[in-house]
Amino acid sequence: MKCSILTPAVTEIQNQLVLLDAAGPVDGSSASLSPRPLFGLEAEALAACMVGAGEPAWRGRQLAEALYRQRLPEIDEITTLPKLLRQRLAAQGWQVGRPKIVQVFQSADGTERYLVQGQSQGKAQDAAGKIGAAETVETVWMPEGDDGESGDGSDQETPEIPGDHRQQKSSGDQNSPAEGAQKRWQRATICVSSQVGCAVNCQFCLTAKLGLQRNLSAGEIAGQVLSVFERHGVEVGRDRVNLVFMGMGEPFLNYDNFMGAVRLLVRETGLSPQRMTVSTSGIVPGIERLAQEAAEFRPKLAISLNAPNDQVRAEIMPINHKWPIQAVMDAVRQVKLRPRERITFEYVLLGGVTDRPADAVEVARLVRRTGLPAKVNLIAWNPGPGIAYSTPRPEAVEDFRATLAGEGIPTYLRKPRGRDIYAACGQLKRTVEG
Ligand code: SAH
Ligand code: SF4
């Protein structure tokens, strides 16, 4: 389905207003006391909320500043609002409601995997106090990245700041770095989830084993980013941080919430969409919608190609029956690339299945035929329990890379990050078990 440039933004705001409505009146008359998160609402919806509370609309701007720039976690800390107003909002059930990091897994390589508690209310913990897997979202922090952005035009705008070893902000909880911690990274990539589980059923992916549990809201998607920003003291405009929407789930099967989060992050944190990459298994209507987005909000695009031809692709990615390679490529061609931007094709190397030099020649042909500025990111398959593929031999990986490069295709090998904590590509599933 195609849509006009305006439609998603308007629908989004309407949805948010409906949400406010559904949450009950804000004058306190018959307000329900179930928690009503402010986090995730765009500035217009926050302004409407303030107007509904009998306040001027510009108070909405103050709220947006507090939620998204200052990243304040509690209404009571929003001191730009009068104390009485804060008390009134809290009494009506409003809360900041930003998703929180509830568990941290640290890898020997510096990667961190987080369980982030989402915004669905009321059933977050079971009788034993354990957080339900469907309530948590997985997010990964990769200091120094994984080389996935190499050569795609990400790093043209913000220069590196050498020797920036300022002190981190301090606080006692998981959402803030330890007191006195030094900033030990020069750049970083955050891998963001868009759904809990995934319905696409790629045969090599551990997330697929969960099936689709639920879609994340725009606030839950953007909240992962801001919680990680807070933990690591990230300042947009100063730090080199990239986002990859490559965590759990298929972003284009949760398109409105995914793009809602992107717009929120661009508008309210100032992060450039050129620092964001969305990866899809090839959901053609989603690619077509992305092609219609205004450049000021459109993230870069990565396609999980993963196979040299339709036959192999359909075996490992059943979605290929619905949208074969040609249909995906036709949709990709509708995206108006920015100067120096490239489309990324991701290619998971499955030992003995997709890693032969002849496959590399076929992949090069496919990529050349698109006629687009493109690059290939190779990912050696990360193992997971119950999945009967094997990791490619290191020599096969190198041969594949060299063959593609020899065919004139810019090719990069993604470093596996955080395999020991199940944080690497396709490994996000183990949630609370660790
Ligand atoms: N659903 C989206 C984004 C999340 S998956 C998509 O499929 O594109 C992100 C990337 O991880 C995809 O390129 C996917 O092919 C790859 N991947 C999935 N499982 C993997 C595994 N076990 N090892 C290595 N890469 C994997
Ligand atoms: Fe879903 Fe992506 Fe995993 Fe396929 S690779 S099952 S689309 S998360």
Side-chain angles (χ1 to χ4, degrees):
M1 186 191 71
K2 288 192 189 176
C3 64
S4 78
I5 291 172
L6 274 177
T7 310
V10 172
T11 319
E12 174 71 13
I13 292 163
Q14 278 167 349
N15 285 345
Q16 295 192 339
L17 295 177
V18 168
L19 181 81
L20 285 170
D21 238 23
V26 281
D27 61 3
S29 54
S30 60
S32 106
L33 280 179
S34 62
R36 297 149 84 178
L38 292 164
F39 192 93
L41 299 180
E42 286 204 31
E44 292 90 336
L46 291 172
C49 171
M50 290 290 93
V51 169
E55 294 289 321
W58 52 260
R59 291 247 180 252
R61 192 62 250 154
Q62 289 183 317
L63 260 180
E65 279 291 315
L67 297 179
Y68 306 121
R69 297 261 175 186
Q70 294 177 272
R71 306 193 288 246
L72 298 176
E74 303 293 340
I75 287 191
D76 202 42
E77 291 180 36
I78 309 179
T79 50
T80 46
L81 301 183
K83 194 166 178 63
L84 272 177
L85 175 58
R86 281 180 268 153
Q87 286 171 345
R88 198 145 46 95
L89 289 171
Q92 290 163 0
W94 292 103
Q95 53 176 233
V96 168
R98 186 180 78 206
K100 285 190 176 60
I101 296 175
V102 291
Q103 212 167 341
V104 180
F105 302 90
Q106 284 174 313
S107 165
D109 70 11
T111 300
E112 292 186 341
R113 177 167 71 95
Y114 310 110
L115 298 189
V116 181
Q117 191 168 358
Q119 291 181 310
S120 50
Q121 295 121 24
K123 48 186 164 56
Q125 296 192 347
D126 66 14
K130 275 184 91 179
I131 298 154
E135 303 305 322
T136 56
V137 175
E138 303 211 2
T139 311
V140 181
W141 162 262
M142 294 176 281
E144 314 312 329
D146 65 352
D147 291 349
E149 296 93 6
S150 307
D152 71 354
S154 290
D155 272 339
Q156 275 134 20
E157 337 115 85
T158 318
E160 194 167 320
I161 300 157
D164 178 11
H165 293 301
R166 68 206 153 78
Q167 295 276 308
Q168 300 263 12
K169 281 195 205 160
S170 64
S171 156
D173 71 17
Q174 311 265 35
N175 294 278
S176 298
E179 189 138 359
Q182 294 269 309
K183 177 173 179 269
R184 275 176 288 157
W185 46 276
Q186 292 299 324
R187 65 190 177 88
T189 299
I190 302 173
C191 181
V192 183
S193 294
S194 54
Q195 300 179 308
V196 179
C198 184
V200 178
N201 199 23
C202 303
Q203 300 295 293
F204 48 81
C205 173
L206 199 54
T207 304
K209 299 268 177 205
L210 277 178
L212 176 64
Q213 306 277 318
R214 67 180 181 94
N215 279 335
L216 300 182
S217 65
E220 286 177 317
I221 298 172
Q224 296 169 60
V225 176
L226 290 204
S227 297
V228 176
F229 277 9
E230 189 58 16
R231 179 175 164 84
H232 290 281
V234 171
E235 282 184 35
V236 174
R238 179 149 97 165
D239 295 321
R240 287 172 59 191
V241 175
N242 294 310
L243 305 185
V244 293
F245 294 92
M246 299 186 184
M248 292 173 103
E250 169 49 63
F252 287 175
L253 292 180
N254 185 18
Y255 190 92
D256 288 332
N257 290 336
F258 153 68
M259 265 317 289
V262 167
R263 273 193 299 271
L264 193 70
L265 290 166
V266 171
R267 285 200 184 115
E268 302 298 344
T269 73
L271 192 67
S272 162
Q274 287 175 264
R275 295 212 155 269
M276 305 179 191
T277 303
V278 59
S279 173
T280 178
S281 54
I283 308 295
V284 164
I287 301 171
E288 291 176 342
R289 285 186 74 175
L290 191 82
Q292 303 294 320
E293 298 288 349
E296 62 180 312
F297 294 119
R298 182 181 58 72
K300 293 174 296 169
L301 180 62
I303 302 288
S304 296
L305 180 60
N306 291 345
N309 54 52
D310 279 320
Q311 196 196 337
V312 178
R313 194 165 190 270
E315 271 168 35
I316 62 173
M317 299 178 72
I319 193 81
N320 196 77
H321 291 295
K322 184 153 189 180
W323 291 297
I325 294 173
Q326 190 58 50
V328 173
M329 298 303 193
D330 288 345
V332 170
R333 258 188 239 101
Q334 297 176 23
V335 178
K336 287 178 228 61
L337 296 178
R338 304 172 181 97
R340 291 190 301 273
E341 183 179 346
R342 287 174 195 270
I343 296 286
T344 299
F345 290 102
E346 293 161 283
Y347 192 96
V348 178
L349 290 159
L350 304 172
V353 180
T354 60
D355 66 344
R356 299 165 313 150
D359 299 332
V361 174
E362 264 194 274
V363 169
R365 207 178 301 139
L366 272 180
V367 172
R368 263 198 308 270
R369 269 215 310 262
T370 66
L372 292 167
K375 54 169 278 209
V376 172
N377 274 359
L378 298 176
I379 318 169
W381 181 68
N382 293 308
I387 308 185
Y389 288 109
S390 54
T391 305
R393 289 177 301 108
E395 314 83 73
V397 174
E398 176 47 27
D399 276 4
F400 200 97
R401 191 205 58 75
T403 309
L404 263 181
E407 293 275 333
I409 308 291
T411 306
Y412 300 86
L413 184 60
R414 291 253 295 271
K415 287 190 231 154
R417 298 294 310 261
R419 267 188 185 173
D420 52 341
I421 54 162
Y422 272 79
C425 292
Q427 292 191 311
L428 299 184
K429 178 212 159 170
R430 305 194 96 203
T431 57
V432 267
E433 311 98 85

